[in-house]
Amino acid sequence: MDSLDRAILDHLQQDGRLTNQELAARVGLTPAPCLRRVRRLEADGVITGYTATVDPAALGRGFEVIIHAELVAKDLPTVESFERRLAAMEEVAELRRMFGIPDYVIRVQTADSEAYERWLTTQLLGDPAIARVDSRITMKLLKLRR
C-alpha cells in the first residue's frame, strides 16, 4: 500500500459515493489506474464495503451512552449467551469484548435519558450475568471516524 492507495482510502471514507472520475481527479490519477487500485483494495479486503451514514437522532436514537460492563462469571456458556442477547438488541449500536476490565464496552443509542433508563433497568440490569455496570454519557463529540 502506497500513498496513492492511502489517498484513495481517505477520499472514499469521506465520501463513498464518489464516482471513479471524481476520485481519480482528487488523487491525481487517470480513471483506469484509479479503478484498478480500488478493485485491488476491494479484492485484498482493505475495502470491505460501502455504507450510508445515518443520523441516529433522525431515527429516534439521538441519546448515546457508553457502558462499561463486567460479568459475574466468565465461563463460555455465560459469555456466549450474554453476547448473543446483547447483539440482538436494537439499542446496542456497538458491542466489544475487552481484555482486562471492563469485560465489555457497549454503545447504546436511545431516544432520550428516560428511554435509556428504561432499557438499562429492564434489559441490562436484569441479566443474571451482569456484576457491574458503569454508564458514560458524552459531553461533546470531538472526532468520529466512520
Side-chain angles (χ1 to χ4, degrees):
M1 184 172 312
D2 61 15
S3 62
L4 280 173
D5 290 336
R6 283 179 182 51
I8 287 169
L9 293 173
D10 286 342
H11 285 286
L12 287 176
Q13 284 178 306
Q14 291 172 28
D15 184 357
R17 296 185 72 181
L18 286 173
T19 66
N20 184 57
Q21 296 255 160
E22 293 169 324
L23 180 60
R26 290 185 186 190
V27 299
L29 288 173
T30 57
C34 182
L35 184 58
R36 280 194 298 274
R37 283 176 177 264
V38 170
R39 296 291 183 243
R40 182 179 40 78
L41 290 166
E42 291 170 344
D44 291 349
V46 176
I47 296 174
T48 58
Y50 299 86
T51 62
T53 303
V54 179
D55 180 4
L59 300 175
R61 301 215 178 270
F63 187 75
E64 186 171 277
V65 180
I66 306 296
I67 299 170
H68 292 180
E70 296 174 27
L71 300 186
V72 172
K74 297 178 179 76
D75 59 281
L76 189 58
T78 300
V79 166
E80 287 177 343
S81 174
F82 176 77
E83 289 175 358
R84 257 192 320 276
R85 185 170 174 274
L86 257 66
M89 293 179 182
E90 190 175 326
E91 297 86 354
V92 176
E94 185 176 347
L95 176 60
R96 294 175 181 252
R97 185 188 318 166
M98 308 301 287
F99 285 105
I101 298 172
D103 296 320
Y104 292 90
V105 173
I106 310 162
R107 187 165 52 96
V108 173
Q109 295 173 331
T110 62
D112 51 34
S113 63
E114 290 81 17
Y116 171 69
E117 190 272 333
R118 261 190 321 277
W119 177 86
L120 180 68
T121 56
T122 62
Q123 300 296 310
L124 189 61
L125 294 178
D127 191 313
I130 290 290
R132 184 176 176 295
V133 171
D134 182 24
S135 299
R136 309 284 175 130
I137 299 171
T138 301
M139 179 187 301
K140 180 180 180 181
L141 179 62
L142 301 171
K143 180 179 179 178
L144 176 64
R145 178 176 294 171
R146 294 187 190 250

